Amino acid sequence: MLRRGDRGPEVVELQLRLRQLFLYNDETHGQFDRRVEDALRTYQWARGLRGEMGTYGPQTRTRLESETRQP
């Protein structure tokens, strides 16, 4: 589970996957900040994934990975 404040390579992967869907266009810096959270919420809202809103949990990860390629 990733949430705002987390850092590291998993966050970079999340940013790159959101970028593939044109939801995140900022710098890929590996920090789960407000911009990443906003992009993730947009994705979750559009897919009906309201149980994990704003966090990158297993349900969201599975869905996002199925819609994007390995960065």
Side-chain angles (χ1 to χ4, degrees):
M1 174 84 64
L2 296 174
R3 59 181 47 91
R4 195 188 317 183
D6 289 341
R7 299 172 178 251
E10 287 185 315
V11 178
V12 171
E13 181 180 332
L14 171 59
Q15 291 169 321
L16 292 172
R17 287 184 186 274
L18 290 170
R19 180 173 281 165
Q20 289 177 39
L21 299 175
F22 305 101
L23 294 171
Y24 180 79
N25 295 309
D26 290 326
E27 184 181 347
T28 306
H29 45 57
Q31 298 174 10
F32 196 129
D33 59 13
R34 174 134 189 160
R35 290 182 180 130
V36 174
E37 184 180 37
D38 288 346
L40 187 60
R41 284 179 180 274
T42 298
Y43 174 79
Q44 291 167 321
W45 183 261
R47 301 319 188 268
L49 300 169
R50 293 178 179 63
E52 297 177 347
M53 287 298 283
T55 62
Y56 192 45
Q59 190 177 31
T60 302
R61 176 178 231 131
T62 298
R63 183 76 180 263
L64 184 60
E65 287 178 352
S66 76
E67 293 182 40
T68 57
R69 66 186 182 288
Q70 180 69 35

